[in-house]
Amino acid sequence: MTKRENPKWNIVDASFVAGVTAPDRLPPPALAEVAFAGRSNVGKSSLLNTLLGRKGLVRTGQAPGTTRQLNFFGARAADGLELVLVDLPGYGFARRSKNERSSWGPLIENYLSKRVSLRAVVLLVDVRRGIEREERELIEYVSTATGASRRALPVIVVATKIDKLAASARKTAVVRVARELGHPAYGFSARTGEGRGELWHALRKAILTEG
Ligand code: GDP
């Protein structure tokens, strides 16, 4: 059990709810949602499986650009808390056609700016790769696009694959990511489970205080 792990937060039930390719196909906004964004290969599918405690629920190792739909996963914790984790398509446009690129934006932008049940956005950054233009753009978008109709969404940054750094270098690397982006950041490893408890703590706090 890693730091802050709480048995009551264990996910006792997790399932795929819907894969959505058009804004008018979104499931009803019945439960609090947290959306996960990050460049392809950042470790998003692995992180979601680790959070949900289910190895193969979210497909890992996909080629960049192959998941262009929003995937909704329902989860229920041992203490009864229910929420929905939303896997946004990975960005990083290198291997996509122009056509695919233009179909990525509107769906995500519509979801991020209008979804009433969305409580927080988790932005994943590979701890070794650091922050690039797309990460800044996404944060900028989330902090401005939601202005008129509701409160700005909290952004939680996750530095992924921290097992790739020496234990002594992890804390400094995560602090650097947080400082550069101006949002709280958590280190995470899907390989070892490090950071899982801390991230659940942050997610639950965002859901319970914003809800
Ligand atoms: P996604 O494209 O963002 O969904 O990334 P995946 O979850 O499919 O992971 C991409 C690659 O990174 C795979 O080869 C994973 O095994 C690897 N990976 C994901 N998370 C971790 C991690 O925490 N540590 C290490 N060492 N590798 C990871």
Side-chain angles (χ1 to χ4, degrees):
M1 194 147 74
T2 62
K3 213 172 112 203
R4 275 200 192 271
E5 288 276 348
N6 182 335
K8 287 189 197 151
W9 301 350
N10 282 346
I11 299 302
V12 292
D13 194 15
S15 60
F16 176 71
V17 175
V20 172
T21 51
D24 58 355
R25 293 297 174 88
L26 291 166
L31 295 171
E33 288 172 7
V34 179
F36 292 77
R39 119 185 353 271
S40 299
N41 215 38
V42 71
K44 183 155 53 67
S45 318
S46 304
L47 174 139
L48 287 167
N49 283 327
T50 304
L51 283 179
L52 294 170
R54 290 274 303 274
K55 265 198 172 118
L57 189 60
V58 187
R59 276 182 62 199
T60 57
Q62 299 207 49
T66 51
T67 330
R68 268 177 310 285
Q69 54 187 26
L70 270 67
N71 287 319
F72 289 69
F73 297 92
R76 185 164 50 85
D79 67 352
L81 180 82
E82 289 187 272
L83 76 161
V84 173
L85 306 186
V86 183
D87 186 9
L88 300 180
Y91 51 79
F93 300 121
R95 283 171 60 182
R96 288 204 221 148
S97 71
K98 201 172 157 209
N99 210 16
E100 286 170 325
R101 248 177 285 167
S102 62
S103 69
W104 185 83
L107 175 64
I108 311 297
E109 291 181 8
N110 182 284
Y111 175 78
L112 288 176
S113 60
K114 301 217 174 89
R115 186 71 167 171
V116 291
S117 45
L118 182 59
R119 298 281 179 268
V121 175
V122 178
L123 173 61
L124 279 65
V125 178
D126 186 319
V127 72
R128 299 160 306 162
R129 186 161 178 161
I131 290 131
E132 294 170 84
R133 188 170 50 88
E134 281 99 334
E135 280 78 36
R136 294 191 194 286
E137 282 176 1
L138 196 122
I139 288 204
E140 172 73 19
Y141 184 80
V142 169
S143 5
T144 55
T146 53
S149 53
R150 56 156 196 234
R151 280 183 288 173
L153 285 171
V155 176
I156 296 166
V157 178
V158 174
T160 61
K161 308 189 187 182
I162 48 163
D163 57 278
K164 300 241 186 191
L165 297 182
S168 58
R170 289 175 196 165
K171 200 171 165 195
T172 318
V174 174
V175 168
R176 192 182 62 234
V177 169
R179 217 175 267 152
E180 278 186 51
L181 287 174
H183 288 275
Y186 300 86
F188 192 90
S189 167
R191 191 150 289 178
T192 66
E194 187 174 338
R196 181 180 184 270
E198 287 86 346
L199 183 55
W200 262 128
H201 181 78
L203 296 180
R204 294 178 67 104
K205 200 168 152 213
I207 291 167
L208 297 169
T209 56
E210 292 294 307

